[in-house]
Amino acid sequence: MTKEYAEQLFLQEKPTLALLAIWSLQKTYASVITKEINSTFAHTTKILAKMEEHGLVQFSVEGRVKYVELTDHGYRVVDALKNLIMAIEGETPEESQEENSTESAENDSENTDEARKTTLDHIDRLHQQIVTTYNGLEENDAELQIMKMKIGPFSRDIQLLLNSIEENEDLINDEGLDKLTEIQNIFDLVMKQ
């Protein structure tokens, strides 16, 4: 990656937010990233194409859905961005490591809390996206095929959530479980017709 390219890419808000959004959401698709970074779809795909050229992200197609995820190089860049953010906030990675080593028991609890928060945030985002999409389609009396095309791509996200919760039930509370159940019910209602 040339120095000019790195400066152009990461000294701008949208590309940095896009990379962090992919890291946060893991395997996702361009329209979700577009919403996450409050950008246009065309601008987001241009950013993603540049990132793919330089080995930061990779695309995969499953059915009619084109997913994007970080490569190993992309993960290293995200780590560097997170270190940069910590440095800007006045914390160095070394300080962070020292705190981690002295408070490992506390961190295990914090890691569980952080994993729970991440899972609940993911459920909230997914719930909002699916319910908003579904309600909008219902209000416009959309045809079943259109509803399936709009709701269907969420199946992987739902399954990833279910798998992570199955592995660790402590990641979800009653409110999250209610939202996840509503998500699953909407998905089943649309896709099993």
Side-chain angles (χ1 to χ4, degrees), residues 20 23 75-89 91 93:
L20 293 172
W23 170 77
Y75 278 108
R76 288 191 299 273
V77 171
V78 167
D79 285 340
L81 284 171
K82 290 190 299 183
N83 287 337
L84 174 63
I85 291 166
M86 286 190 317
I88 290 170
E89 292 174 351
E91 181 180 333

Side-chain angles (χ1 to χ4, degrees), residues 70-151:
L70 293 177
T71 62
D72 289 340
H73 180 59
Y75 278 108
R76 288 191 299 273
V77 171
V78 167
D79 285 340
L81 284 171
K82 290 190 299 183
N83 287 337
L84 174 63
I85 291 166
M86 286 190 317
I88 290 170
E89 292 174 351
E91 181 180 333
T92 64
E94 293 80 24
E95 289 172 352
S96 179
Q97 288 175 358
E98 287 172 12
E99 290 172 13
N100 287 343
S101 64
T102 59
E103 302 170 1
S104 63
E106 230 175 77
N107 284 340
D108 288 343
S109 174
E110 288 175 14
N111 287 342
T112 301
D113 290 344
E114 185 65 30
R116 182 180 301 115
K117 183 182 180 324
T118 300
T119 300
L120 293 175
D121 287 348
H122 194 174
I123 290 171
D124 285 342
R125 263 196 315 269
L126 191 59
H127 180 266
Q128 182 180 7
Q129 290 172 332
I130 290 175
V131 169
T132 302
T133 302
Y134 179 73
N135 289 341
L137 293 168
E138 279 284 302
E139 287 174 13
N140 294 321
D141 293 323
E143 295 179 15
L144 179 61
Q145 190 59 29
I146 291 172
M147 292 179 89
K148 286 184 177 185
M149 286 173 43
K150 296 284 187 175
I151 300 292

Side-chain angles (χ1 to χ4, degrees), residues 21-22 25 27-45 48 59 64-68 129 133 149-150 153-154 157:
I22 297 167
L25 298 169
K27 192 173 187 179
T28 187
Y29 38 92
S31 61
V32 172
I33 297 165
T34 298
K35 290 176 187 172
E36 287 289 318
I37 68 172
N38 194 25
S39 182
T40 64
F41 186 77
H43 185 60
T44 302
T45 55
L48 294 175
F59 291 94
R64 289 194 267 167
V65 180
K66 186 175 183 181
Y67 289 100
V68 61
Q129 290 172 332
T133 302
M149 286 173 43
K150 296 284 187 175
F154 291 109
D157 294 318

